[in-house]
Amino acid sequence: MENEQIEAIAAMLKTMSHPIRLKILCLLQGKEMTVGDIREEVKTTNANVSQHLSILRNQGIIGYRKDANFIFNRINDERVLELMQTMRKLYCQPE
Amino acid sequence: MENEQIEAIAAMLKTMSHPIRLKILCLLQGKEMTVGDIREEVKTTNANVSQHLSILRNQGIIGYRKDANFIFNRINDERVLELMQTMRKLYCQPE
DNA sequence: AAAGTATTAAATGGAAAAATTAAATACTTA
DNA sequence: TAAGTATTTAATTTTTCCATTTAATACTTT
């Protein structure tokens, strides 16, 4: 791995490494969710969810779609999905 | 993923998400290295390398072996190796 | 034992990240 | 247009992280 790539990957891991953000990524697997939807699953405020979403957006991991006064968030980066699959396999499998 | 697992994985990602620590993990793939060895590859001080190594050790990612006044560090957690392989495939492949 | 090398530990200061609160924007509906 | 809902922005405070410096420990060699 080149140094530049190490920096980029480290930044991406840092973005994923907050419990709330990682949980958001888990929740967004397979579906779109609004701030309000997410807020019901994660014990915090709307503003806090919104802040975490914007960090994920700035990293390019998630995207969104606007409809009325809702914003539907979705995972944008397929690689993150594959990475999470690997993590689930390694850290959540019984064996 | 359960909440508890999310917390644990987030902690592990956080440990890996510092450029120096991620570089150390790259360097340790396949070989043992001392603080001095690592310090030659990473532009920082011995004390700083030592601190990062202790963070990696506390997370259980690396282990060590003592010989004379050298400490040889090695990767302890096979899962981290597989995770890094996946990251290399996803983020460092030309295609 | 003294001097030298490798590493760690402890303390400091500064920078970055996080949660909280309050105010602003955007859209909808009554 | 006024009131209501969803989300974001901005400001503030608290917390956590990181690099640096200095001192301590452990071991070797002379």
Side-chain angles (χ1 to χ4, degrees):
Chain A
M1 276 196 211
E2 304 298 330
N3 274 342
E4 221 175 89
Q5 293 173 325
I6 288 177
E7 300 271 346
I9 293 175
M12 189 266 302
L13 291 177
K14 185 166 156 190
T15 299
M16 296 178 69
S17 74
H18 189 288
I20 290 182
R21 292 196 291 271
L22 189 56
K23 174 134 196 186
I24 289 174
L25 292 177
C26 285
L27 291 169
L28 288 182
Q29 280 177 317
K31 61 172 182 282
E32 291 181 328
M33 292 179 87
T34 68
V35 170
D37 294 338
I38 292 167
R39 186 238 130 125
E40 281 177 32
E41 302 283 341
V42 180
K43 265 287 179 261
T44 186
T45 60
N46 280 348
N48 196 18
V49 170
S50 176
Q51 272 174 183
H52 284 300
L53 284 170
S54 100
I55 291 170
L56 289 164
R57 252 182 247 129
N58 290 340
Q59 185 60 232
I61 295 180
I62 67 173
Y64 65 96
R65 162 177 80 82
K66 229 175 159 176
D67 185 7
N69 43 2
F70 291 93
I71 288 185
F72 291 93
N73 297 277
R74 63 164 189 281
I75 292 186
N76 229 356
D77 187 336
E78 300 300 323
R79 296 172 298 184
V80 165
L81 283 173
E82 186 163 344
L83 204 51
M84 295 213 302
Q85 227 172 288
T86 302
M87 294 189 305
R88 193 189 299 90
K89 186 189 80 180
L90 292 173
Y91 293 92
C92 303
Q93 232 53 278
E95 163 224 6
Chain B
M1 277 196 211
E2 303 298 328
N3 274 342
E4 222 176 85
Q5 293 173 325
I6 289 177
E7 299 272 345
I9 293 175
M12 189 267 302
L13 291 177
K14 185 165 154 191
T15 299
M16 294 178 70
S17 74
H18 190 287
I20 290 182
R21 292 196 290 271
L22 190 56
K23 173 133 196 188
I24 289 174
L25 292 177
C26 285
L27 290 169
L28 288 182
Q29 280 177 318
K31 59 173 183 280
E32 290 182 328
M33 292 180 86
T34 67
V35 170
D37 295 337
I38 292 169
R39 187 237 129 124
E40 281 176 30
E41 303 283 340
V42 180
K43 265 286 177 263
T44 186
T45 61
N46 279 350
N48 195 19
V49 170
S50 177
Q51 272 177 183
H52 285 298
L53 284 170
S54 102
I55 292 170
L56 290 163
R57 249 183 248 128
N58 290 340
Q59 185 62 229
I61 295 180
I62 66 172
Y64 65 96
R65 164 177 78 82
K66 228 176 158 175
D67 185 7
N69 44 3
F70 291 92
I71 288 186
F72 291 93
N73 297 277
R74 61 161 190 284
I75 291 186
N76 228 357
D77 186 335
E78 300 299 323
R79 296 172 299 184
V80 165
L81 284 173
E82 187 164 343
L83 204 50
M84 295 211 302
Q85 228 173 289
T86 301
M87 294 189 305
R88 193 188 302 90
K89 187 189 79 181
L90 292 173
Y91 292 92
C92 303
Q93 231 54 278
E95 164 227 7

